[in-house]
Amino acid sequence: MTSNVWFCGIPGSRWSGIDIQMRSILHCDRSDETPDRTQYHRPVTPGDAGNGHRGSYWGPGMGCGEDWEDFNFFQSHKLLDDINNVFSGYGYRIIKGHIFARHFNLDYIWNHFKGDQIVLIYREPQKSFAWWSEVMCFDETHYPDYRPSYKNYDRMWELLWQESSSITDFAIRKGLEFVPYSPDVFKFWEGYDIDASATFMEANKNKHNDVYIATATIE
């Protein structure tokens, strides 16, 4: 089984922690995880399995799909070719992109990739901005590199509100419901590991208690 999971949240929404949990509780293709695509957040204990960034991120500065901006200028096979050049295994391929929240890219994904999964994360933009500013920064030592897409703190603050509005607007138009995040939101997905999921339940009571998630199969 190989399927794309289009995953979108704003910077600081703690979406990367959810990505790490998904990779542990589902049959995910983790061939995109390489040493240069690993980042541990600076104020948290290095080596913490649930800390930081893992695998591919997509969009300008993200390391993969550097030319992914406005999908309306692309043929869908170009996006798939780029994905296939990064992933080489089997299972769910988690395609993480803040850029999906711009240029109506979420609508493009919905219209062109029937049968794939889409996962949206909501966390209040001010909280997200504060968290991102605590654990990341605008320099070349952090992965991914946020300078091409967000430029600086002032511009990021503006864009987070815009991107958050785009995500919630899309969800409303498609009838998607945000619910408090818990790993068992994936319990009906193929390969769900209930034991692995249970290991995250206690940590999530504090770590993700202000994070909301919406999921759907694109039809």
Side-chain angles (χ1 to χ4, degrees):
M1 180 275 299
T2 296
S3 177
N4 292 328
V5 180
W6 301 89
F7 190 33
C8 185
I10 64 174
S13 61
R14 293 187 179 268
W15 72 323
S16 291
I18 294 173
D19 167 57
I20 291 171
Q21 293 186 14
M22 290 173 67
R23 290 168 180 264
S24 299
I25 66 179
L26 298 171
H27 289 163
C28 288
D29 180 350
R30 304 181 68 166
S31 58
D32 65 326
E33 294 185 34
T34 60
D36 63 323
R37 295 187 190 130
T38 299
Q39 170 79 42
Y40 291 102
H41 289 327
R42 57 190 181 192
V44 189
T45 305
D48 176 0
N51 164 31
H53 299 146
R54 305 288 185 282
S56 55
Y57 289 74
W58 298 79
M62 300 288 112
C64 297
E66 290 284 344
D67 60 347
W68 285 21
E69 293 196 53
D70 188 339
F71 289 179
N72 294 289
F73 292 98
F74 290 154
Q75 297 291 322
S76 58
H77 66 77
K78 181 265 193 290
L79 302 180
L80 294 178
D81 289 345
D82 289 348
I83 292 168
N84 289 333
N85 285 334
V86 170
F87 290 88
S88 58
Y90 297 93
Y92 292 113
R93 301 184 295 186
I94 302 178
I95 316 302
K96 302 187 292 291
H98 302 304
I99 197 67
F100 304 158
R102 302 184 192 178
H103 310 295
F104 292 95
N105 287 339
L106 287 171
D107 288 272
Y108 183 98
I109 292 167
W110 189 270
N111 293 331
H112 287 83
F113 299 107
K114 305 300 183 184
D116 282 357
Q117 305 295 322
I118 192 163
V119 175
L120 307 176
I121 300 299
Y122 175 81
R123 188 182 188 219
E124 198 275 325
Q126 185 61 44
K127 289 184 178 180
S128 297
F129 178 72
W131 173 246
W132 190 93
S133 300
E134 181 179 352
V135 299
M136 288 288 285
C137 67
F138 289 97
D139 68 26
E140 69 280 356
T141 66
H142 284 72
Y143 171 77
D145 184 352
Y146 277 80
R147 291 172 298 175
S149 288
Y150 293 92
K151 190 177 179 180
N152 56 40
Y153 291 99
D154 290 338
R155 182 59 176 152
M156 171 175 272
W157 189 88
E158 295 175 351
L159 287 171
L160 292 199
W161 291 91
Q162 296 173 21
E163 292 173 357
S164 182
S165 295
S166 294
I167 292 170
T168 53
D169 172 76
F170 173 82
I172 291 169
R173 288 189 287 105
K174 299 304 180 184
L176 308 184
E177 180 182 1
F178 282 99
V179 298
Y181 173 68
S182 172
D184 62 9
V185 74
F186 300 109
K187 62 185 177 183
F188 296 116
W189 288 37
E190 184 175 344
Y192 173 74
D193 186 333
I194 189 171
D195 293 326
S197 178
T199 65
F200 295 111
M201 289 296 188
E202 187 63 31
N204 284 339
K205 290 180 180 178
N206 295 316
K207 190 173 185 179
H208 294 110
N209 62 358
D210 58 356
V211 180
Y212 297 84
I213 186 169
T215 70
T217 300
I218 301 173
E219 299 178 348

